[in-house]
Amino acid sequence: MQGKKDYQEKLFAQFQLSERIPKNNFYRGLRGAIDLDFLYPLTKDYYGQSGQKSIDPVVFFKLCLVGYLENLISDRKLIDHCSLRLDILYFIGYDIDEELPWHSTISRTRNLFPEALFEEVFTGVLSLCVEKGMVSGHTQAIDSAPVKANASMDTLELKVPEEDLEEHLRRVRAISSMDKETPHRKSKGDRSDKGQRGITASKKELDAIKGRNKKWAKDQDQRPGAGNKGSKYTSNKTHYSPTDPDARISVKPGKARKLNYLSQLSVDTAHHVITDIRAYHADGKDNRQLPDIVRRLKKRLWKQGLVWKNCVADTGYSSGENYAFLEAKGLKSFIPPHGTYKGGPDGFVYVEEQDFYLCPQGKVVPFKKVFLDSRTKTKKKSYRASSKIRKGCPLRSTCLGKVNEKQFSVTYYREEYERNIERVNSKEGRYMKSKRQSTVEPVFGTLTQIMGMRRINTIGIKQANKVMHLSAIANNLKKYLKFIEKRSKSGAGQLAFGDLLKSVVQDLFSALQRHRKLTFQY
């Protein structure tokens, strides 16, 4: 007989939300796995003693985690999503008839709490992973990736006072109609300070920009939006974003220029647990940020009772200063050097004991001095041989320079470079390279594509740092639950096998005893 379901809304006489959530549900497991009650004393000072009660800090963090676990970067969409999911309501401690907080409350609370609080929650989750044996600490893979800022290239403005605009443009490039008009998308408010609006580039840097922009003269009337041809000539030296002054113009190979933040990430190679994450300005270089990452990460791992031995990263982190710094910290670096590195001129042999070079003709080129390179700001060693020594040499015409002397410079950290290169080219170094590619790069892909870090939905580098920590916390919690679930299943299987083995042994022993009795009677 055909059935027909008639629906009539009614009040529930008895309803328990916990009974509707399956035992193997992710959020049920997550609720039992983490305890965030330590947030109450930590956040107490950020609330007043009177007035209307604000959102529970534990509820706030759980809602934020749900946003990244569900890949939702909009607070408004997050609240709408949570109201439709029974398992999420159970996780955050709300019943089906309770009204969820306003989406604006989440934004205000995120701004209220400091960065240190988000980092403390991150460290607490990392401790859970360490306790379960998910983090070895021995080898850490470091990498970076740009993350889209909450600002548009179309709102960029020039870094000059309004009264000096025309004079500045004459020095940098020809005045275009674009410069005289307001931006294509005018910002609602200018959040920058005087330092962020002012020119920080030197005259030499501005002249270089002017030279590049001569090629752009015919196309100058286009807006500097990310998809426009002229955007590639827009520089952080001459432009800033009034919407988010901390955002910087940067570009990935094959991609259009955008306003981004730079996410620096460290991952433990044992079970791909994130051990450190931080937001930096996107115009910074990886090799300049490595010492800050290492100091922070080494301290965190030490507090967890872990010893860090190997630092694995790509060529972007390469520099002699970094190699020396890592050795001073007791770390082995596996960082491929830049292709421009040379231990000295081609055909020259370095004699380490006396610190000089031998040219192809066997002549000595001695060490002269240590100096700071004006362009790269790195320490170098100068070697120079006078023309008298080179007298009668068949290679004199091609070897000596305009000053009639053979002179060249080599990095001050040549020995550190050579030791690192030896490690990188070893069997262990090749293994570390594959380990880095299979560890930190997939984690970055997960964060940006699945864990809500494809775009920063806040303003300012401090807020961006909070977003990155929340995304990393969500990633680590997901791995943590998967790990303990797999281990519990494995443990249950071992227990069942142990019971079976015990039963088999008992049966064999009983059979042996019966056999002995029969033999004795016979």
Side-chain angles (χ1 to χ4, degrees), residues 5 31 42 56 67 92 202 259 275 291 303 313 409 441 470:
K5 176 70 174 69
R31 175 171 172 164
L42 289 176
D56 186 318
I92 64 177
S202 64
L259 286 163
T275 52
K303 287 183 177 179
S409 61
E441 293 178 6
L470 285 168

Side-chain angles (χ1 to χ4, degrees), residues 304-333:
Q304 298 292 337
L306 302 173
V307 179
W308 182 16
K309 290 294 183 182
N310 300 323
C311 179
V312 188
D314 61 20
T315 307
Y317 296 87
S318 169
S319 75
E321 289 84 354
N322 284 346
Y323 296 146
F325 172 78
L326 292 172
E327 287 187 4
K329 291 291 184 180
L331 298 173
K332 289 197 296 183
S333 61

Side-chain angles (χ1 to χ4, degrees), residues 279-292:
Y280 291 86
H281 292 299
D283 57 347
K285 293 183 178 180
D286 290 340
N287 58 7
R288 299 288 177 87
Q289 295 158 354
L290 183 64
D292 181 51

Side-chain angles (χ1 to χ4, degrees), residues 233-426:
Y233 298 104
T234 306
S235 169
N236 288 306
K237 304 290 185 183
T238 56
H239 290 76
Y240 76 98
S241 169
T243 307
D244 188 355
D246 286 335
R248 297 289 187 270
I249 303 167
S250 67
V251 63
K252 284 188 71 175
K255 303 286 185 179
R257 288 196 173 197
K258 293 181 181 179
L259 286 163
N260 294 321
Y261 284 100
L262 189 67
S263 176
Q264 292 284 2
L265 184 71
S266 174
V267 182
D268 187 84
T269 56
H271 291 277
H272 300 189
V273 174
I274 298 173
T275 52
D276 185 74
I277 191 168
R278 181 59 65 96
Y280 291 86
H281 292 299
D283 57 347
K285 293 183 178 180
D286 290 340
N287 58 7
R288 299 288 177 87
Q289 295 158 354
L290 183 64
D292 181 51
I293 299 167
V294 170
R295 292 189 192 98
R296 186 174 59 250
L297 179 55
K298 191 173 179 66
K299 183 178 179 181
R300 177 179 290 126
L301 293 175
W302 181 258
K303 287 183 177 179
Q304 298 292 337
L306 302 173
V307 179
W308 182 16
K309 290 294 183 182
N310 300 323
C311 179
V312 188
D314 61 20
T315 307
Y317 296 87
S318 169
S319 75
E321 289 84 354
N322 284 346
Y323 296 146
F325 172 78
L326 292 172
E327 287 187 4
K329 291 291 184 180
L331 298 173
K332 289 197 296 183
S333 61
F334 292 87
I335 306 174
H338 286 290
T340 56
Y341 168 75
K342 288 185 178 181
D346 292 336
F348 282 61
V349 178
Y350 179 65
V351 180
E352 186 176 354
E353 292 78 11
Q354 287 80 30
D355 192 13
F356 63 78
Y357 281 84
L358 287 175
C359 76
Q361 296 296 315
K363 301 292 185 180
V364 174
V365 184
F367 163 73
K368 287 298 180 182
K369 65 176 181 179
V370 176
F371 68 98
L372 191 68
D373 190 290
S374 59
R375 184 179 63 86
T376 60
K377 306 300 180 185
T378 58
K379 288 176 70 175
K380 289 188 175 182
K381 298 174 74 173
S382 174
Y383 295 83
R384 184 175 63 191
S386 67
S387 57
K388 293 180 181 179
I389 299 177
R390 311 296 293 181
K391 192 174 183 180
C393 178
L395 302 178
R396 176 186 174 93
S397 59
T398 57
C399 184
L400 297 185
K402 294 180 180 179
V403 295
N404 207 28
E405 292 180 338
K406 180 57 182 177
Q407 60 179 0
F408 57 86
S409 61
V410 179
T411 175
Y412 181 81
Y413 303 98
R414 184 185 184 279
E415 294 179 7
E416 287 82 356
Y417 261 103
E418 294 298 329
R419 285 193 289 268
N420 175 78
I421 291 172
E422 186 178 355
R423 283 192 296 269
V424 169
N425 293 332
S426 67

